[in-house]
Amino acid sequence: MNCMNCGALLNDSPYCPSCGFDVEVQKKIWHLSNLYYNQGLEKAEIRDLSGAIDLLKRSLKFNKLNIQARNLLGLVYFETGEAVAALSEWVISKNIMPEGNIASDYIDRLQANANKLDVINQTIKKYNECLSCCRKGSEDVAVIQLKKILVQNPKLIKAYHLLALIYLKNESYEKARKILKKAARIDRTNSTTLRFLKEVDEQTGTTTSLEPRRWGFATREKEEQPRGQSVAYMADNEVIIQPPTFRESSMAATLLNLGVGFLVGACLVWFLMVPANTQRINREANEKVTEYSNTMASQAAELTRMEEQIAESEETVSSAQDQIAQAQEQVTSYENLIKAYNSYQSGEYTAAANVMQNIDADLLGVDAREIYDTIYSNIQSTMRRTLKSQGEQAFYQKNYDEAISALTQAMEIDDTDYETLNLLAHSYRLNGNYDQAVEIFQKIVDTFPGTRRATDAQRYIDNGGHGFDDLENDSSADTSGAGQNSGNSRTSSGEETTEDTVEQ
């Protein structure tokens, strides 16, 4: 035992030989921890696992550095099916004492059998799913799942308790008794097990015995009287000797006796051998059926595990493919940014604007986004004109989806250009998207109030998306006007001018 103040080795003195610190209380606490550990060990040896867990927790409460108590607590947890709790205790123990700690062997053995550890983890997850099913009222699904859990992890006490509780709710008391007796074999003094058994006994009026059955066969010695010999017995304090008796029989009687004997023998063979043979055949058939059922159950469990692994692999592959696609998109965006930058440096703004359309700015880094914003701000008007021109061409080629895509991007750059808004609205209309068309026409009304443009747009809005066919001729004239307006004059600086007629 070491001093908690300086870490020096202590002796029988109530004071530390190195620093003089009073360690009497420390010694008492450590002795109590060891006492609880010894009591917990005795409980564990007689399979009183609940009592062992309680005592070992008390031991660690007094001395959290008690390595033996922590390792034993992990073993008890593992014996009750709580592999995660056991692994936690062993990991803490290994961190406290890395060298010469048997907890390292426990961890290595558990991690060496990855399949078993995975099965245990899956059973715990399925147990939580069963709890959720019970809360939702799906007890039948929970019963089926709990039976599978107990096949894969037969030491999980909580699964036994939940299954027994469902049987108690459904008044299947004998099934609950059977399940609780299995739980009692794992932990003899578990309070939940004993409480449920008490409920079963009160409902059935039969006391449950947790002692194993012992079958005994009483043997009786029978003395048979030998034929042809005298028999001696006591009567009134005198020994009576009875002489042997003889019977003479004729040939006919002998033959009759032989016939009767053969008949009786045949009957014995028929009534004894045939049923026994039939029982043997039925027993072998039942054993085969049981064997096949167990094989099918194990194969079903293995198939379920393999399907889960396949699903996890598919999710991993899908995630990897998404990451690869995103990386490719990011690389493409960077390559297009370089091309746009080179075109911008060369003064080829139109080419730079065309390339900028293929760049996803959200995938760029901080520095690259600054370059993108610089180029975008300088060639914004060029990009708008390019997108507007592409949208016009697509519109007159009746490729309305492409026209909507290009004109929407142009509108995001400048949402006050009438020609862009008008073409976009008619593209939506001719493409059958009446709600979007009305939204764009409303934007024209809001942007150009009191003008002929607003009046024309309001006519389409008033028809509500179902009367657009009646305005086909008007739209042709309007969109033709939009096409003619695309040839507006430009200033010497290259900026586009638009002549708007405002109706006063």
Side-chain angles (χ1 to χ4, degrees):
M1 184 184 302
N2 297 327
C3 176
M4 62 183 294
N5 185 37
C6 65
L9 187 65
L10 301 178
N11 52 21
D12 296 337
S13 174
Y15 298 98
C16 176
S18 176
C19 63
F21 187 75
D22 188 356
V23 294
E24 185 175 1
V25 175
Q26 177 187 350
K27 288 184 176 181
K28 290 182 179 180
I29 291 174
W30 285 36
H31 285 315
L32 282 174
S33 176
N34 293 333
L35 176 63
Y36 282 127
Y37 163 72
N38 293 329
Q39 293 177 354
L41 179 60
E42 293 176 357
K43 294 282 187 180
E45 288 177 348
I46 62 174
R47 299 201 67 83
D48 183 3
L49 302 185
S50 299
I53 290 174
D54 181 59
L55 291 171
L56 292 172
K57 284 183 177 179
R58 293 185 185 182
S59 175
L60 292 176
K61 184 176 181 180
F62 283 103
N63 181 13
K64 65 180 181 180
L65 302 179
N66 193 335
I67 301 299
Q68 293 179 338
R70 195 173 293 277
N71 292 341
L72 181 58
L73 180 59
L75 288 174
V76 176
Y77 275 139
F78 187 80
E79 188 64 20
T80 58
E82 300 287 345
V84 177
L87 190 60
S88 300
E89 296 297 335
W90 292 334
V91 169
I92 296 172
S93 175
K94 184 178 179 181
N95 291 332
I96 295 174
M97 189 176 73
E99 301 295 334
N101 193 341
I102 196 173
S104 301
D105 297 335
Y106 297 153
I107 296 172
D108 294 339
R109 291 180 187 177
L110 190 59
Q111 293 178 346
N113 193 349
N115 291 333
K116 182 177 180 180
L117 182 60
D118 182 63
V119 169
I120 293 175
N121 290 333
Q122 291 297 327
T123 55
I124 295 174
K125 293 179 182 178
K126 292 178 181 177
Y127 170 78
N128 294 330
E129 294 176 359
C130 292
L131 282 176
S132 178
C133 290
C134 291
R135 294 189 182 101
K136 296 177 181 178
S138 302
E139 287 89 357
D140 295 339
V141 178
V143 168
I144 297 172
Q145 194 71 12
L146 286 170
K147 289 181 179 179
K148 293 181 180 179
I149 290 172
L150 292 176
V151 171
Q152 297 174 348
N153 188 4
K155 295 183 179 180
L156 190 58
I157 295 290
K158 294 180 179 179
Y160 286 107
H161 291 165
L162 182 57
L163 182 58
L165 189 60
I166 295 174
Y167 284 146
L168 286 174
K169 180 181 178 183
N170 297 333
E171 297 182 358
S172 300
Y173 299 115
E174 293 302 326
K175 291 183 179 180
R177 191 199 306 274
K178 183 178 179 180
I179 292 298
L180 293 172
K181 290 178 72 174
K182 290 182 179 179
R185 295 192 192 104
I186 300 173
D187 187 1
R188 294 179 180 274
T189 60
N190 188 282
S191 58
T192 303
T193 303
L194 297 178
R195 187 171 68 253
F196 288 175
L197 280 174
K198 183 179 179 181
E199 178 68 20
V200 172
D201 294 344
E202 290 178 354
Q203 295 295 333
T204 59
T206 304
T207 303
T208 303
S209 176
L210 299 179
E211 296 296 329
R213 293 183 178 180
R214 296 179 180 178
W215 298 94
F217 298 94
T219 59
R220 296 180 180 178
E221 297 181 355
K222 298 181 179 179
E223 297 182 355
E224 297 182 355
Q225 176 182 350
R227 295 186 62 183
Q229 295 183 6
S230 301
V231 177
Y233 57 91
M234 297 291 295
D236 297 332
N237 296 325
E238 294 183 358
V239 179
I240 305 298
I241 300 176
Q242 181 178 352
T245 59
F246 298 94
R247 180 184 300 173
E248 294 183 358
S249 59
S250 62
M251 181 62 67
T254 302
L255 293 176
L256 180 61
N257 290 333
L258 289 175
V260 173
F262 282 119
L263 182 60
V264 171
C267 293
L268 289 174
V269 171
W270 177 261
F271 289 108
L272 296 180
M273 298 297 294
V274 173
N277 190 36
T278 303
Q279 292 178 0
R280 179 182 60 80
I281 294 173
N282 292 334
R283 184 175 63 256
E284 292 177 355
N286 292 332
E287 291 176 356
K288 288 291 184 181
V289 171
T290 303
E291 181 181 356
Y292 291 151
S293 299
N294 294 334
T295 303
M296 291 177 65
S298 61
Q299 290 178 352
E302 183 67 18
L303 180 61
T304 302
R305 186 180 66 81
M306 295 298 293
E307 289 177 350
E308 292 175 353
Q309 291 181 355
I310 291 172
E312 292 177 358
S313 300
E314 290 177 351
E315 291 178 359
T316 304
V317 171
S318 178
S319 177
Q321 290 177 349
D322 293 341
Q323 293 178 1
I324 292 172
Q326 184 177 2
Q328 290 177 349
E329 292 178 359
Q330 188 174 14
V331 170
T332 302
S333 297
Y334 274 101
E335 291 177 351
N336 290 331
L337 179 62
I338 294 172
K339 293 179 182 179
Y341 182 76
N342 292 334
S343 299
Y344 172 75
Q345 292 292 333
S346 302
E348 300 175 356
Y349 296 148
T350 302
N354 291 331
V355 177
M356 289 284 285
Q357 299 177 30
N358 301 322
I359 297 176
D360 189 351
D362 295 334
L363 300 177
L364 299 177
V366 178
D367 297 334
R369 184 60 183 266
E370 291 180 358
I371 298 173
Y372 174 84
D373 294 338
T374 301
I375 298 173
Y376 181 81
S377 61
N378 291 329
I379 66 170
Q380 190 173 16
S381 60
T382 303
M383 287 184 65
R384 182 186 65 78
R385 290 194 298 273
T386 301
L387 292 168
K388 177 180 176 182
S389 177
Q390 293 176 357
E392 289 177 356
Q393 294 177 5
F395 178 83
Y396 291 115
Q397 293 173 0
K398 296 185 178 181
N399 189 354
Y400 300 118
D401 291 333
E402 183 177 346
I404 290 171
S405 177
L407 292 172
T408 300
Q409 296 182 55
M411 185 185 68
E412 291 175 354
I413 298 175
D414 183 7
D415 60 352
T416 61
D417 183 56
Y418 170 73
E419 296 173 4
T420 301
L421 295 173
N422 188 43
L423 282 174
L424 179 58
H426 285 290
S427 297
Y428 276 128
R429 179 180 67 81
L430 295 175
N431 202 32
N433 300 328
Y434 300 120
D435 294 338
Q436 290 84 349
V438 169
E439 182 179 349
I440 301 301
F441 281 126
Q442 184 63 45
K443 188 173 184 63
I444 293 174
V445 173
D446 297 338
T447 305
F448 306 100
T451 64
R452 182 176 179 275
R453 299 171 178 176
T455 302
D456 293 339
Q458 187 63 44
R459 290 169 58 203
Y460 289 101
I461 296 173
D462 294 339
N463 283 271
H466 297 285
F468 282 116
D469 293 338
D470 299 336
L471 303 176
E472 190 67 35
N473 295 330
D474 296 336
S475 66
S476 299
D478 199 1
T479 55
S480 298
Q484 293 173 1
N485 289 336
S486 64
N488 288 331
S489 61
R490 302 180 183 274
T491 63
S492 60
S493 61
E495 295 297 331
E496 185 181 31
T497 62
T498 305
E499 297 178 358
D500 298 338
T501 302
V502 180
E503 297 180 358
Q504 301 296 330

